[in-house]
Amino acid sequence: MLSRFRIPAQETPWAWAGTIAPDWRVIPVSLDILVVQHTDAVPVGLLGRYLELQGAWLHTWNAARCTSPLQGDYDGLLVLGGPMQSWDDDAFPHLQTVMEVIRQFHHQGKPILGICLGAQLIARAFGAAVYPNATPELGFVPIYPIATTSPEPWIQDFPAGMLLLEWHSDTFDLPPNADWLLTSDRCKHQAFRLGTSTYGLQFHPEATPEIVRGWWDFLSEAVKAQFPQLLDQVQQQFDAHWAKADQFTEALAQSWCTQVALASRQSPPCSLPILC
């Protein structure tokens, strides 16, 4: 059984320069998050840092290596991105298992956050089509909110045209009954909510410059030829836009952890057996 208690702030070693450690005494119960990672090149990154600052324990399941999830009681599910196409079950059979886990968490009312491939898998898990986008989105792209009757806390102050990092060639239709939250000029569906607490984001709030440099090798030769200066351009974009993107990631982590904490008080955690 996973521990449900945090150690005091003064005993916690913080490795991030300039970060003020939170006072865990006001967060008596930890939040256990199952993180689905498809490849070492796409880790939880910056988003993981802010989730941990909110009191989350992150339990990483490398789904491509271990085809079934780890034993544990989980309060939320975070599904990361990856270079594979979300419909390529023959080459990546673990994708079917990930979608089963997504449906299990959703049906139990546990918050889910999917990023890029993770968002596509959520859409696919609930019957929506996933397919190649008309053109790749690579680098920082203006994102626009969609007017809704119930705005999300993490996009209430979202400025139209905010620049966030994209790195994808595929897109998806919205699942039935999903609420459309964000869009861009080149990719219609940038964020959605299904039910009360299942979210899909096409962009990458977790990415850092170091992480993105590792993604170059996953691009096709045709895309590399089309964007030969991409890495230099993206580094310049990080220099110009990362401060605001970082603030957005922090707000997203705070809002999502609030939902996870609320759900953890309303119902038991999602229990997964050892199947690996």
Side-chain angles (χ1 to χ4, degrees):
M1 183 67 66
L2 298 172
S3 172
R4 307 287 296 175
F5 298 94
R6 276 288 195 178
I7 59 178
Q10 64 267 23
E11 297 176 17
T12 307
W14 291 100
W16 304 298
T19 296
I20 299 176
D23 188 348
W24 296 120
R25 291 167 294 186
V26 302
I27 310 175
V29 179
S30 68
L31 304 174
D32 289 298
I33 307 299
L34 179 62
V35 179
V36 180
Q37 186 170 336
H38 302 276
T39 173
D40 293 341
V42 190
V44 72
L46 183 66
L47 180 60
R49 162 187 171 174
Y50 283 125
L51 291 175
E52 290 180 330
L53 287 173
Q54 291 297 311
W57 282 106
L58 304 181
H59 308 275
T60 300
W61 166 34
N62 193 313
R65 294 178 186 166
C66 177
T67 55
S68 295
L70 306 175
Q71 181 187 32
D73 295 335
Y74 300 106
D75 302 300
L77 177 67
L78 173 59
V79 187
L80 299 176
M84 61 283 294
Q85 292 176 305
S86 66
W87 59 85
D88 195 357
D89 298 332
D90 290 340
F92 304 98
H94 75 276
L95 298 177
Q96 283 287 344
T97 305
V98 172
M99 288 190 291
E100 292 176 7
V101 171
I102 287 170
R103 286 188 286 264
Q104 179 177 347
F105 273 76
H106 179 78
H107 293 322
Q108 290 189 223
K110 292 304 177 184
I112 304 171
L113 181 60
I115 297 173
C116 197
L117 174 65
Q120 296 164 14
L121 288 171
I122 293 172
R124 186 182 169 209
F126 294 100
V130 185
Y131 46 88
N133 197 40
T135 181
E137 277 192 314
L138 301 166
F140 280 77
V141 171
I143 306 294
Y144 302 91
I146 302 295
T148 65
T149 56
S150 55
E152 301 293 326
W154 51 276
I155 56 176
Q156 282 183 345
D157 299 321
F158 195 102
M162 183 174 181
L163 290 151
L164 296 172
L165 183 79
E166 302 276 3
W167 200 277
H168 69 103
S169 298
D170 299 331
T171 188
F172 51 84
D173 292 337
L174 293 181
N177 302 315
D179 290 311
W180 183 21
L181 302 177
L182 297 172
T183 190
S184 73
D185 292 337
R186 288 184 292 168
C187 184
K188 183 177 180 180
H189 296 139
Q190 288 290 340
F192 67 89
R193 184 189 67 247
L194 183 62
T196 59
S197 58
T198 294
Y199 294 89
L201 310 180
Q202 183 58 75
F203 51 90
H204 285 276
E206 85 288 8
T208 66
E210 293 76 17
I211 290 173
V212 172
R213 280 194 288 270
W215 294 351
W216 174 259
D217 292 338
F218 292 104
L219 296 177
S220 69
E221 293 304 318
V223 172
K224 290 179 179 179
Q226 184 179 358
F227 304 100
Q229 304 301 318
L230 178 61
L231 287 184
D232 289 339
Q233 293 169 354
V234 171
Q235 182 59 60
Q236 293 172 7
Q237 292 171 345
F238 266 110
D239 293 341
H241 308 303
W242 198 22
K244 289 185 178 180
D246 176 276
Q247 293 173 359
F248 168 81
T249 300
E250 183 177 17
L252 172 65
Q254 291 175 345
S255 178
W256 193 65
C257 275
T258 298
Q259 283 195 326
V260 174
L262 178 61
S264 73
R265 292 194 294 268
Q266 293 176 337
S267 62
C270 186
S271 296
L272 297 177
I274 295 178
L275 298 176
C276 182

